[in-house]
Amino acid sequence: MASDPDDVMAANSAFYAAFEAGSAGGMLALWEHSDDVSCTHPGWPTLHGWTDVRRSWEGILRHGGAMQFILTDERVLVRGDVAWVHCTENLLAVEGPRGTVAAINLFVRNSSGEWKVIHHHGAQVVATMLN
Amino acid sequence: MASDPDDVMAANSAFYAAFEAGSAGGMLALWEHSDDVSCTHPGWPTLHGWTDVRRSWEGILRHGGAMQFILTDERVLVRGDVAWVHCTENLLAVEGPRGTVAAINLFVRNSSGEWKVIHHHGAQVVATMLN
């Protein structure tokens, strides 16, 4: 039986697999569908509630073009029925956004034992900070 | 007796009060002191572990100059012994950073019932997104 951190990391991997595949259906299925969800896309104000979060993913995945994520610094923490994964998203889009994003994905365990995304927050890492 | 959301919001207010006051001691006392803490300052890669997080606050609060935060869109969620607050930090620094930051502060309840910061993540909102 997989451990909680393994299950959360699997959910996190599914998140980026759906993102890379441009699969709105795949992405939306990973989220809790409630008013408690929120999402801060890089550079955006935070979106609150399922209606706005859903719309944002539909738009991004429809118009974003092919993206490839090389994830580094993945770290998972589980505290009860809440877990979060930190990772660095290294974006290799042929067209569209490039660069490095410091992300946190927050998950909650539902009554079926599934880990669902309740928050995603990405912040662009400013290159000059790294030099 | 204050509710859990009230207690978490009080901890969040203390976070920004310490930030505005430039009080490293006040800020550091609000955090869990463990390897599980992490912090993503706007534009920075994520820092992991108490040693690096502590050092970052000591540096920022020593050199940052006076800052004033007008917080908007504050929202709190509690799930068991984990809670998080979303807020928009509207920065009015006379010298130093200005602008708007979309932030999430993640709290965990310790064995004494106190809510401690375990993660802070701030992402600059790009002005052109709002126009």
Side-chain angles (χ1 to χ4, degrees):
Chain A
M1 185 178 165
S3 68
D4 285 347
D6 288 345
D7 288 342
V8 174
M9 287 300 283
N12 197 64
S13 296
F15 178 96
Y16 288 102
F19 209 154
E20 283 195 340
S23 169
M27 173 60 77
L28 299 181
L30 297 170
W31 284 72
E32 178 175 295
H33 297 183
S34 82
D35 287 344
D36 289 346
V37 301
S38 56
C39 189
T40 315
H41 299 291
W44 293 37
T46 299
L47 305 176
H48 292 280
W50 180 234
T51 300
D52 285 349
V53 170
R54 177 178 55 74
R55 285 180 183 157
S56 75
W57 283 112
E58 289 171 347
I60 287 168
L61 295 172
R62 187 180 303 125
H63 301 297
M67 282 196 280
Q68 187 180 359
F69 291 91
I70 307 295
L71 298 182
T72 52
D73 299 322
E74 288 178 281
R75 302 190 189 209
V76 59
L77 280 168
V78 180
R79 297 275 180 124
D81 290 328
V82 181
W84 52 101
V85 177
H86 301 286
C87 56
T88 303
E89 305 172 357
N90 302 281
L91 284 164
L92 300 174
V94 175
E95 299 176 5
R98 289 184 185 222
T100 303
V101 171
I104 182 171
N105 297 312
L106 192 58
F107 298 85
V108 290
R109 181 160 33 198
N110 68 14
S111 57
S112 303
E114 301 167 318
W115 291 98
K116 293 294 187 182
V117 185
I118 193 165
H119 177 64
H120 166 73
H121 194 139
Q124 187 156 20
V125 177
V126 178
T128 52
M129 302 297 299
L130 300 174
N131 293 329
Chain B
M1 185 178 162
S3 68
D4 285 346
D6 288 344
D7 288 341
V8 174
M9 287 300 283
N12 198 63
S13 296
F15 178 95
Y16 288 102
F19 209 153
E20 282 195 340
S23 169
M27 173 60 77
L28 299 181
L30 296 169
W31 284 72
E32 178 175 295
H33 297 182
S34 81
D35 286 344
D36 289 347
V37 301
S38 56
C39 188
T40 315
H41 300 291
W44 293 37
T46 299
L47 305 176
H48 293 280
W50 179 235
T51 300
D52 284 351
V53 170
R54 176 178 55 74
R55 284 180 183 157
S56 75
W57 284 112
E58 289 172 347
I60 287 168
L61 295 172
R62 187 179 304 125
H63 301 296
M67 283 197 280
Q68 187 180 358
F69 293 91
I70 307 295
L71 298 182
T72 53
D73 298 323
E74 287 180 282
R75 303 191 188 208
V76 60
L77 280 167
V78 180
R79 298 275 180 122
D81 290 328
V82 182
W84 52 101
V85 177
H86 300 287
C87 56
T88 303
E89 305 171 358
N90 302 281
L91 284 164
L92 300 175
V94 177
E95 299 178 3
R98 287 186 187 223
T100 303
V101 170
I104 181 172
N105 297 313
L106 192 58
F107 297 86
V108 290
R109 180 158 35 197
N110 68 14
S111 56
S112 303
E114 301 167 316
W115 291 98
K116 292 294 185 182
V117 185
I118 194 165
H119 177 65
H120 166 73
H121 195 140
Q124 187 157 19
V125 177
V126 178
T128 53
M129 304 296 299
L130 299 175
N131 294 330

